[in-house]
Structures are given as C-alpha cells and as structure tokens.
Amino acid sequence: MNAIATKFQVGAAALAIGTSAALAPVAANAAPAVQVPAAPVHQVAGDLAAAPGDFIWFFQVTSVQLAATFTRSATFWTDTTIAIYEAKLARNPDSIFAPFYNRRIAQLQTQRAAFGQLSLSACRDGEGISAGPYGTVTRGAC
C-alpha cells in the first residue's frame, strides 16, 4: 500500500508543478509568447456575402455524395441478401422455409428496383453533381 501511496503523491506533486508552471505567466499578466499578426478583417473572414452560398453548396454536394454512398451500400447488402436466400433455396427447395425465402426474395428485388429509381442533384454556377441509379455519382455541367 505504501508504494501505491508514494506513486500517487509523486504524481500529484508533478501535476501541481506542471500546473503552476503553466499558469505563472497568466498570473503575472505576461504578454503572449507568440505575436498574432494584425490583418484586416476582410483577409481573415473572407467575403462574407458569398460565405452562406459556399456553405449551402458544400452542404448540397456533401448530401449528394452521402446519399450516393448510402444507396451503393444498401444496394450491395440487398444483392448479398438476395444471393444468400437464393442459395439457401437452391440447396433446400423443399424446406419449410422455402415460402419465406421466396417472399423475402420478392420483397428485396422490389426494394432493389427502387434503388434504381433514386436521383438527387445539386447545381451552382453551371457546375453540378448528381447521384443516379444505384448510387452512381457524376460531376459536370448542369
């Protein structure tokens, strides 16, 4: 127990020394060690009038890309699940689960067909991005 207590005391002392060293300049109202260059606000903030449009464009492009990614992923997993059910059905066509497999395959094929009808696009200043069927992404002119 003494070894653990000693390690705790040494750690607490090191923490106290480190904290006092970090806070000493603040307590003495010392100037910062790094000087920040003074620049006009326009150089720091950029063109504020265009900033909301840039943010909206970034959000739209990101949304299109995420939608395409999720659609590609969902299409992949739907295809994988259909293949699994078809393989189970081919191995055991007389199984008591065969009607379930058939119904589930039909449902998943309907869902996969819906992925082929998805479309999302964003356009700005003649430049556009679109997510098409099954998550394909195209960039180019609008």
Side-chain angles (χ1 to χ4, degrees), residues 13-110:
L15 184 63
I17 291 171
T19 303
S20 65
L23 295 178
V26 175
N29 289 326
V34 178
Q35 295 294 325
V36 178
V41 174
H42 180 62
Q43 289 178 352
V44 175
D47 190 7
L48 292 177
D54 291 340
F55 176 73
I56 292 170
W57 173 245
F58 173 77
F59 180 73
Q60 288 175 339
V61 169
T62 304
S63 298
V64 169
Q65 290 173 340
L66 283 174
T69 301
F70 293 146
T71 304
R72 278 193 307 272
S73 177
T75 301
F76 170 79
W77 289 112
T78 302
D79 288 344
T80 302
T81 307
I82 289 172
I84 290 169
Y85 283 137
E86 286 175 343
K88 288 181 179 184
L89 195 58
R91 280 194 311 260
N92 248 337
D94 297 330
S95 170
I96 60 170
F97 297 109
F100 167 76
Y101 294 153
N102 285 325
R103 276 195 316 272
R104 191 67 183 130
I105 289 170
Q107 291 170 347
L108 290 170
Q109 286 173 340
T110 303

Side-chain angles (χ1 to χ4, degrees), residues 122-123 125-130 138-142:
C123 184
D125 297 333
E127 177 188 353
I129 183 170
S130 64
T138 56
R139 285 182 170 262
C142 302

